[in-house]
Amino acid sequence: MISSDLSPYLAGLAVVATAAYWLNSQRPNLRSIPAMGPTGLFSSYVGAYDYLRNAPKIVQEGYKKYKSSVFRVPYYDKWVVVVSSSQLVNDLRQSRDEDLATVPAFSQLFAAPWTLGSGFTDHNYHIKVIQSPLTRSIAARFTDIRDEVAAAFEDEVKLPGDDWVAVPALAMVLRVISRASNRLFVGLPLCRDPDYQMLTVKFAMGVMEGAKKINLFPHFLKPLIGPWLTNLPRDLEHAKKHLVPIIEERLRLEEEHGPNWAERPSDLISWLLEYAKGEERTPHMLTQRMLMVNFAAIHTTANSFTQALFHLAQGPEYVEPLREELEAAVAEEGWTKSAMSKCIKLDSFLRESQRYNGTSAVNMNRMVDNPNGFTFSDGTHVPHGTFVVAATYATHHDGENYENPNEFDGFRFAKMRGKDEDQGSIKFQMVAPDAKYLSFGFGRHACPGRFFAVNELKLMLAYVLQHYDVRLEGPRPPTEWFGTLAAANHSAKVEFRKRQT
Ligand code: HEM
Ligand SMILES: *[C@@H]1O[C@H](CO)[C@@H](O)[C@H](O)[C@H]1NC(C)=O
Ligand SMILES: *[C@@H]1O[C@H](CO)[C@@H](O)[C@H](O)[C@H]1NC(C)=O
């Protein structure tokens, strides 16, 4: 006999079981794909718990075990299929959007409806804006961006004479990148406004924090809890205070003088207005779009630079060769984009840092959008609705792809450029993704902001090399993992001193 006090619990259990059964029946059927961890109705949640804590390790194990094929890993809200070879990465790269779509995949990854706003899934014209006018403007705006990097470091790193000063690295880097990026996005004086700067940083980090929490819930609960776990409405109102007056003024000037009026600023607001259509042209939607681009630009670049700064502080042997190269390039070309292109070692150091300590264990998020599913070139078939990714971290630490993959070799790619006669000059530069280097994705959807990001990263590292000596207080601060997402340690400090030699 069951005692009557237990009945509420049993009733509760029955509800949970029914919900779990129903949830499972809503998921794509992936029974034929080998799974990392248990696959039972309830036990798969134990697997998801384990995965949240050990994602890079589990993906790497699967990558080795199912080499040249696919396997699946459990998230709280879905199973995700991971591809394990260059051939299959090429399938992702070459696939059409009708078969493997990025928008619904990114939308889930960032819990976009709640963290980034409705505009994210409806329109993505900002990608074209970044690919074309923004990227084309880098050379012309180079001096401005360099000026902002310099001014930002001067404000952030207050040197006490010749002594060392310890600076919380990630927080400082986030503010420098917000300023440098927004010098291009909105120009002076707004890019230096402390309130605007704080908002852009807070928003960029807030999207990731919100997404991490929201994605712990099953899909059908997300619309209920999503609004409670995001700062979007508040941040959007805050951003509008800064941006709406500027946007309204631009719309008015365009109305008066046509789209290409004489003194139109060369900034993100102008470029967005070139491409935005219909409902996207309201100050509200344009502010949302400005925040989206700030998010895409700030959190990734800041993690990448902080990791590189840790590598530099940890590897004093790199400092002299990097300074020599930089000074020679600047002597020849002045402070220009082409001087930066000549800094092959600097480029290699940043690329290696991103290979070794990237921002995510998996990249190239795609969702199967074809109602008939998708068939990989090795014959593996996955149904409609399946989430597919490439194993970035495992690919970057695969001995078949890199000699001594677990060793940080700052000039690895500079040496590879030296060896490859034909393509050496471009093939291994940081902006060039390939099947073995997936930090920016690969193919048509590869990060459109990478040309700007790499330029900014180089300018920042160049500024540090030119003005400071850096060192770490202790051992290299461990990366903070949340599932597959990696973030540079958020409290670690780097010590700066006035350059001595
Ligand atoms: C070091 C810094 C950065 C890293 C590591 C990075 C990484 C990535 C990755 C992995 C993707 C997905 C590619 C794929 O799925 O194939 C991506 C997409 C994207 N990135 Fe970046 N990114 C960086 C900087 C930037 C910047 C500065 C911007 C804007 C100015 C930007 C804007 C975007 C946009 C709009 C997309 C979506 C592209 C699409 O769906 O076609 N990123 N990025
Ligand atoms: C960064 O490098 C350390 C070794 O210094 C390694 O333990 C860690 O997993 C790496 N993190 C990422 C994000 O690749
Ligand atoms: C970050 O680094 C600091 C000091 O280097 C260390 O005390 C702390 O435990 C690290 N945080 C994480 C989450 O690893």
Side-chain angles (χ1 to χ4, degrees), residues 95-113:
S95 64
R96 304 173 312 156
D97 282 7
E98 298 84 70
D99 293 327
L100 296 178
T102 53
V103 173
F106 291 153
S107 178
Q108 267 196 29
L109 180 67
F110 303 131

mmCIF file of all heavy atoms in Angstrom, residues 95-113:
data_model
loop_
_atom_site.group_PDB
_atom_site.id
_atom_site.type_symbol
_atom_site.label_atom_id
_atom_site.label_comp_id
_atom_site.label_asym_id
_atom_site.label_seq_id
_atom_site.Cartn_x
_atom_site.Cartn_y
_atom_site.Cartn_z
ATOM 1 N N SER A 95 27.457 23.698 -47.599
ATOM 2 C CA SER A 95 26.009 23.483 -47.606
ATOM 3 C C SER A 95 25.256 24.768 -47.917
ATOM 4 O O SER A 95 25.736 25.874 -47.677
ATOM 5 C CB SER A 95 25.572 22.958 -46.249
ATOM 6 O OG SER A 95 25.826 23.937 -45.268
ATOM 7 N N ARG A 96 24.057 24.605 -48.468
ATOM 8 C CA ARG A 96 23.195 25.761 -48.736
ATOM 9 C C ARG A 96 22.390 26.082 -47.481
ATOM 10 O O ARG A 96 22.107 25.194 -46.684
ATOM 11 C CB ARG A 96 22.224 25.433 -49.878
ATOM 12 C CG ARG A 96 22.901 24.988 -51.165
ATOM 13 C CD ARG A 96 21.861 24.521 -52.175
ATOM 14 N NE ARG A 96 20.907 23.591 -51.539
ATOM 15 C CZ ARG A 96 19.666 23.371 -51.963
ATOM 16 N NH1 ARG A 96 19.199 24.024 -53.004
ATOM 17 N NH2 ARG A 96 18.877 22.513 -51.349
ATOM 18 N N ASP A 97 21.965 27.349 -47.354
ATOM 19 C CA ASP A 97 21.158 27.735 -46.190
ATOM 20 C C ASP A 97 19.855 26.956 -46.113
ATOM 21 O O ASP A 97 19.332 26.714 -45.024
ATOM 22 C CB ASP A 97 20.828 29.231 -46.245
ATOM 23 C CG ASP A 97 22.009 30.083 -45.821
ATOM 24 O OD1 ASP A 97 23.097 29.507 -45.626
ATOM 25 O OD2 ASP A 97 21.847 31.301 -45.698
ATOM 26 N N GLU A 98 19.305 26.557 -47.264
ATOM 27 C CA GLU A 98 18.048 25.802 -47.267
ATOM 28 C C GLU A 98 18.248 24.444 -46.601
ATOM 29 O O GLU A 98 17.308 23.851 -46.093
ATOM 30 C CB GLU A 98 17.532 25.570 -48.698
ATOM 31 C CG GLU A 98 17.202 26.842 -49.463
ATOM 32 C CD GLU A 98 18.434 27.448 -50.126
ATOM 33 O OE1 GLU A 98 18.948 26.859 -51.086
ATOM 34 O OE2 GLU A 98 18.904 28.500 -49.641
ATOM 35 N N ASP A 99 19.479 23.928 -46.644
ATOM 36 C CA ASP A 99 19.752 22.630 -46.013
ATOM 37 C C ASP A 99 20.216 22.812 -44.563
ATOM 38 O O ASP A 99 19.650 22.235 -43.652
ATOM 39 C CB ASP A 99 20.826 21.874 -46.805
ATOM 40 C CG ASP A 99 20.328 21.465 -48.183
ATOM 41 O OD1 ASP A 99 19.117 21.182 -48.301
ATOM 42 O OD2 ASP A 99 21.131 21.442 -49.128
ATOM 43 N N LEU A 100 21.276 23.577 -44.395
ATOM 44 C CA LEU A 100 21.806 23.829 -43.053
ATOM 45 C C LEU A 100 21.778 25.338 -42.815
ATOM 46 O O LEU A 100 22.540 26.080 -43.435
ATOM 47 C CB LEU A 100 23.245 23.316 -42.935
ATOM 48 C CG LEU A 100 23.453 21.805 -43.077
ATOM 49 C CD1 LEU A 100 24.941 21.466 -42.979
ATOM 50 C CD2 LEU A 100 22.688 21.035 -42.003
ATOM 51 N N ALA A 101 20.906 25.772 -41.913
ATOM 52 C CA ALA A 101 20.702 27.211 -41.726
ATOM 53 C C ALA A 101 21.480 27.732 -40.526
ATOM 54 O O ALA A 101 21.633 27.036 -39.517
ATOM 55 C CB ALA A 101 19.216 27.493 -41.544
ATOM 56 N N THR A 102 21.988 28.969 -40.648
ATOM 57 C CA THR A 102 22.703 29.574 -39.521
ATOM 58 C C THR A 102 21.772 30.373 -38.611
ATOM 59 O O THR A 102 21.930 30.352 -37.401
ATOM 60 C CB THR A 102 23.792 30.549 -40.016
ATOM 61 O OG1 THR A 102 23.187 31.466 -40.915
ATOM 62 C CG2 THR A 102 24.916 29.819 -40.689
ATOM 63 N N VAL A 103 20.802 31.077 -39.208
ATOM 64 C CA VAL A 103 20.010 32.005 -38.388
ATOM 65 C C VAL A 103 19.295 31.304 -37.221
ATOM 66 O O VAL A 103 19.454 31.712 -36.074
ATOM 67 C CB VAL A 103 19.035 32.847 -39.254
ATOM 68 C CG1 VAL A 103 18.112 33.662 -38.372
ATOM 69 C CG2 VAL A 103 19.811 33.752 -40.191
ATOM 70 N N PRO A 104 18.521 30.210 -37.485
ATOM 71 C CA PRO A 104 17.874 29.553 -36.336
ATOM 72 C C PRO A 104 18.887 28.955 -35.363
ATOM 73 O O PRO A 104 18.624 28.892 -34.155
ATOM 74 C CB PRO A 104 17.019 28.458 -36.974
ATOM 75 C CG PRO A 104 17.491 28.319 -38.371
ATOM 76 C CD PRO A 104 18.157 29.593 -38.764
ATOM 77 N N ALA A 105 20.063 28.582 -35.876
ATOM 78 C CA ALA A 105 21.087 28.006 -34.995
ATOM 79 C C ALA A 105 21.666 29.088 -34.080
ATOM 80 O O ALA A 105 21.730 28.918 -32.862
ATOM 81 C CB ALA A 105 22.184 27.342 -35.817
ATOM 82 N N PHE A 106 22.061 30.230 -34.655
ATOM 83 C CA PHE A 106 22.578 31.326 -33.825
ATOM 84 C C PHE A 106 21.491 31.826 -32.881
ATOM 85 O O PHE A 106 21.749 32.197 -31.742
ATOM 86 C CB PHE A 106 23.067 32.498 -34.683
ATOM 87 C CG PHE A 106 24.310 32.213 -35.471
ATOM 88 C CD1 PHE A 106 24.566 32.883 -36.664
ATOM 89 C CD2 PHE A 106 25.237 31.280 -35.034
ATOM 90 C CE1 PHE A 106 25.718 32.626 -37.403
ATOM 91 C CE2 PHE A 106 26.387 31.009 -35.761
ATOM 92 C CZ PHE A 106 26.616 31.690 -36.954
ATOM 93 N N SER A 107 20.271 31.843 -33.394
ATOM 94 C CA SER A 107 19.159 32.326 -32.592
ATOM 95 C C SER A 107 19.023 31.483 -31.322
ATOM 96 O O SER A 107 18.845 32.022 -30.229
ATOM 97 C CB SER A 107 17.892 32.277 -33.432
ATOM 98 O OG SER A 107 16.800 32.698 -32.677
ATOM 99 N N GLN A 108 19.155 30.162 -31.446
ATOM 100 C CA GLN A 108 19.113 29.289 -30.262
ATOM 101 C C GLN A 108 20.343 29.474 -29.396
ATOM 102 O O GLN A 108 20.258 29.556 -28.180
ATOM 103 C CB GLN A 108 19.030 27.827 -30.694
ATOM 104 C CG GLN A 108 17.626 27.314 -30.788
ATOM 105 C CD GLN A 108 17.592 25.786 -30.824
ATOM 106 O OE1 GLN A 108 18.458 25.101 -30.286
ATOM 107 N NE2 GLN A 108 16.575 25.272 -31.484
ATOM 108 N N LEU A 109 21.506 29.524 -30.048
ATOM 109 C CA LEU A 109 22.757 29.631 -29.301
ATOM 110 C C LEU A 109 22.747 30.847 -28.370
ATOM 111 O O LEU A 109 23.178 30.764 -27.218
ATOM 112 C CB LEU A 109 23.918 29.736 -30.299
ATOM 113 C CG LEU A 109 25.325 29.864 -29.732
ATOM 114 C CD1 LEU A 109 25.733 28.574 -29.022
ATOM 115 C CD2 LEU A 109 26.329 30.175 -30.850
ATOM 116 N N PHE A 110 22.257 31.977 -28.867
ATOM 117 C CA PHE A 110 22.251 33.206 -28.074
ATOM 118 C C PHE A 110 20.902 33.465 -27.403
ATOM 119 O O PHE A 110 20.700 34.529 -26.835
ATOM 120 C CB PHE A 110 22.609 34.418 -28.947
ATOM 121 C CG PHE A 110 23.923 34.298 -29.647
ATOM 122 C CD1 PHE A 110 24.037 34.548 -31.003
ATOM 123 C CD2 PHE A 110 25.070 33.933 -28.941
ATOM 124 C CE1 PHE A 110 25.261 34.437 -31.658
ATOM 125 C CE2 PHE A 110 26.293 33.821 -29.579
ATOM 126 C CZ PHE A 110 26.386 34.061 -30.944
ATOM 127 N N ALA A 111 19.964 32.500 -27.488
ATOM 128 C CA ALA A 111 18.599 32.731 -26.995
ATOM 129 C C ALA A 111 18.118 34.090 -27.512
ATOM 130 O O ALA A 111 17.557 34.907 -26.778
ATOM 131 C CB ALA A 111 18.539 32.650 -25.469
ATOM 132 N N ALA A 112 18.328 34.317 -28.793
ATOM 133 C CA ALA A 112 18.181 35.641 -29.398
ATOM 134 C C ALA A 112 16.827 36.321 -29.198
ATOM 135 O O ALA A 112 16.793 37.529 -28.965
ATOM 136 C CB ALA A 112 18.526 35.584 -30.886
ATOM 137 N N PRO A 113 15.707 35.588 -29.269
ATOM 138 C CA PRO A 113 14.436 36.316 -29.135
ATOM 139 C C PRO A 113 14.374 37.122 -27.839
ATOM 140 O O PRO A 113 13.717 38.159 -27.795
ATOM 141 C CB PRO A 113 13.387 35.207 -29.130
ATOM 142 C CG PRO A 113 14.034 34.067 -29.842
ATOM 143 C CD PRO A 113 15.504 34.168 -29.531
#
